Amino acid sequence: MKFKNLPEEPPVETRVANALSQTQILDIHTHLYDPAMGKMLLWGIDELLTYHYLVAESFRFFKMPYKDFFVLEKKQQAELIWNELFIKHSPISESCRGVITTLNMLGLDVNRRDLNSVRKWFAQRTVEQHVEEVFESANLSAAVMTNSPFDPEEIALWKKGFSRDSRFLSALRVDPLVLEYNSVVGFLCQQGYDVRSDLDQKTRNELIRFLHFWADTIQPLYLMVSLPPDFSLDLDSEDSSILTQVVLPFCKTRGLPFAIMAGVTRSVNPHLGLAGDSLGCFSIEAIEKLCRTFPDNKFLVTALSRENQHHLCVASRKFPNLHPFGCWWFTNIPSLIDEISNLRFELLGLSFTPQHSDARVLDQLLYKWTHFKESLILTLGEKYSALEASGWDVGDEEIKRDLKGLLGGEFLQFSGRSLI
Ligand code: RAT
Ligand code: ZN
């Protein structure tokens, strides 16, 4: 009951926004790197403009052959994209608007439509200063990298060793091992592992030794893979043998979750390179079977197709060892974020992680999180309003607690880690 002489409480959306501004985010999946890894960490305007999401959109307008674009230097590619998507058309797509939000948050005047002045501004900055400012402005406590034990550049850096920045946590990405084992046998042998194409006991032990080495070296929060729609998780299928006989037993021994990014079809248009991937529906029945068959493993799952989202929520109600996360890639657009968050709130309450940024360029943390927060204020605000209308007053401290869970706390709980 509200009394007339008491000051009116601000609308619940405002209270969510206030609490959100005080909540630090743990970004559980990015493609960013510790600054000590040098040029692997991308930042700046030319990287922002040549993001593969924008390359795909530019080719909707470009009239040139693919190869004429890809032979150009990054700077020239960026100019073509800027011209096509920002000057000749209004930049209304999510990825285009993202560049505008980002530049604005950095204090740049985008209304001059002047790429060179933006370039000059970036040229005067150091990477250290930029990491500092972006993390502070996005309100991030840490970002999880995607670390590949098959990338020669990364291997060299980790083996040499460097002093780690505590804001950059790691995740061990094992796509080549799970998806194309035969193509990495030679590489593994060169690295000193006595493995064969045949998955005999010796080979399995050696692969597990390989994973232990990398887990000891990089201290990952989880292992991860992205899977095509037609990947069979059947226990007796050849597809899943490395997963079920090597990776999952290893994860169980080390107490590490295994993250599945489900439903990517790589290279539907190979001419577009990184921008040429598409999606398909994944079998959530197979995920359910995995959770049932490996009850001592923990699965973090995100799905690329819109059609998979409802089933993934229902599956998560059945298996406490399944934690849905993020609005991945083509689902990271406002209309689908609203829809997916609503599905999850309504079916799972607060026991999931609604977003990761997938940032490939440091500056993208600014827009990816700002745009997500715009959605969260409305979706979560609406849920609290409905709850209040039903007679449950929601306190500010309770809102803060809930947001802390959504923005990293639930993920850490699920992973068996203490809050950082
Ligand atoms: O979102 C992306 O940038 C994609 O290219 C992929 O990297 C995807 O997120 C993945 O991790 O496979
Ligand atoms: Zn990714």
Side-chain angles (χ1 to χ4, degrees):
M1 158 94 57
K2 302 243 157 45
F3 295 100
K4 275 209 175 100
N5 56 349
L6 285 180
E8 271 292 311
E9 203 168 37
V12 74
E13 281 80 8
T14 310
R15 295 165 57 213
V16 174
N18 288 340
L20 201 47
S21 68
Q22 296 165 46
T23 310
Q24 281 211 310
I25 298 168
L26 166 61
D27 190 342
I28 70 168
H29 170 61
T30 76
H31 298 266
L32 303 175
Y33 293 93
D34 189 312
M37 299 173 88
K39 61 181 176 19
M40 291 195 74
L41 173 61
L42 306 181
W43 61 286
I45 186 64
D46 290 328
E47 299 296 350
L48 279 172
L49 288 172
T50 53
Y51 186 31
H52 69 85
Y53 292 24
L54 291 181
V55 171
E57 288 170 36
S58 298
F59 270 98
R60 307 282 308 141
F61 297 117
F62 283 167
K63 295 285 175 277
M64 72 179 86
Y66 299 111
K67 64 173 177 11
D68 289 4
F69 174 81
F70 286 106
V71 294
L72 297 174
E73 302 217 326
K74 186 160 283 174
K75 208 171 157 213
Q76 293 170 299
Q77 293 181 353
E79 272 153 26
L80 288 176
I81 292 174
W82 171 256
N83 209 32
E84 201 64 66
L85 296 182
F86 294 79
I87 302 301
K88 290 186 7 200
H89 304 89
S90 294
I92 64 167
S93 76
E94 172 61 10
S95 324
C96 284
R97 183 169 79 98
V99 175
I100 303 303
T101 303
T102 302
L103 297 179
N104 249 306
M105 286 181 74
L106 290 169
L108 288 151
D109 180 5
V110 289
N111 285 317
R112 288 172 60 195
R113 311 279 198 267
D114 180 9
L115 180 54
N116 281 330
S117 67
V118 174
R119 276 188 174 140
K120 274 190 201 137
W121 183 87
F122 275 102
Q124 286 161 1
R125 295 181 75 78
T126 64
V127 66
E128 292 76 19
Q129 183 187 22
H130 208 53
V131 170
E132 221 41 71
E133 183 173 332
V134 170
F135 268 66
E136 195 182 320
S137 176
N139 207 3
L140 244 66
S141 57
V144 181
M145 308 181 273
T146 297
N147 303 106
S148 170
F150 296 97
D151 173 5
E153 197 178 351
E154 254 201 79
I155 297 172
L157 288 165
W158 287 110
K159 287 200 171 166
K160 190 161 158 244
F162 54 89
S163 147
R164 287 186 66 172
D165 182 326
S166 60
R167 290 169 297 189
F168 291 82
L169 306 170
S170 68
L172 188 62
R173 182 83 176 229
V174 292
D175 290 32
L177 183 66
V178 173
L179 296 171
E180 44 189 64
Y181 173 61
N182 280 331
S183 75
V184 295
V185 170
F187 166 87
L188 288 164
C189 290
Q190 277 166 19
Q191 300 280 313
Y193 297 93
D194 189 4
V195 294
R196 298 152 37 120
S197 290
D198 232 7
L199 214 51
D200 53 20
Q201 187 59 48
K202 171 96 202 253
T203 299
R204 290 202 296 267
N205 291 344
E206 281 294 272
L207 292 174
I208 287 180
R209 186 166 73 83
F210 166 76
L211 293 175
H212 276 298
F213 170 79
W214 281 103
D216 291 340
T217 305
I218 76 173
Q219 297 293 325
L221 262 66
Y222 55 85
L223 272 72
M224 76 186 307
V225 74
S226 67
L227 298 179
D230 56 359
F231 186 87
S232 167
L233 287 170
D234 273 349
L235 292 186
D236 40 10
S237 81
E238 212 176 291
D239 263 4
S240 69
S241 50
I242 295 273
L243 194 65
T244 55
Q245 295 175 41
V246 175
V247 176
L248 293 181
F250 168 81
C251 286
K252 183 178 158 187
T253 310
R254 296 282 294 227
L256 289 169
F258 185 61
I260 297 178
M261 305 184 86
V264 57
T265 314
R266 298 284 178 197
S267 252
V268 294
N269 182 352
H271 299 295
L272 278 173
L274 259 191
D277 301 342
S278 185
L279 62 79
C281 238
F282 197 81
S283 161
I284 303 295
E285 286 88 347
I287 302 271
E288 289 170 336
K289 190 163 171 205
L290 206 60
C291 293
R292 189 170 61 242
T293 317
F294 296 90
D296 299 328
N297 279 91
K298 295 171 186 176
F299 298 95
L300 296 156
V301 177
T302 195
L304 201 46
S305 93
R306 181 187 189 181
E307 290 70 19
N308 277 152
Q309 305 302 330
H310 184 243
H311 195 168
L312 181 57
C313 286
V314 174
S316 305
R317 292 172 65 91
K318 312 297 151 192
F319 295 99
N321 60 337
L322 173 56
H323 185 91
F325 74 96
C327 294
W328 180 27
W329 200 347
F330 309 116
T331 64
N332 190 1
I333 52 174
S335 55
L336 289 188
I337 296 173
D338 291 354
E339 177 178 308
I340 295 168
S341 299
N342 274 323
L343 278 174
R344 290 170 173 171
F345 285 136
E346 288 162 19
L347 282 161
L348 300 171
L350 295 157
S351 60
F352 65 95
T353 300
Q355 191 59 310
H356 65 267
S357 77
D358 234 314
R360 279 180 180 265
V361 181
L362 176 66
D363 317 72
Q364 290 170 341
L365 291 173
L366 295 172
Y367 93 78
K368 300 227 185 205
W369 283 109
T370 300
H371 292 190
F372 173 69
K373 285 180 194 176
E374 287 167 2
S375 161
L376 186 63
I377 289 167
L378 297 179
T379 51
L380 189 58
E382 220 173 77
K383 294 295 165 238
Y384 286 140
S385 292
L387 199 53
E388 297 206 313
S390 297
W392 181 276
D393 289 341
V394 183
D396 287 342
E397 288 310 312
E398 291 170 325
I399 295 179
K400 278 191 205 156
R401 173 205 59 202
D402 294 349
L403 286 172
K404 203 168 167 194
L406 289 170
L407 298 172
E410 283 300 324
F411 161 82
L412 292 170
Q413 284 274 335
F414 177 79
S415 308
R417 308 231 168 206
S418 54
L419 292 181
I420 45 176

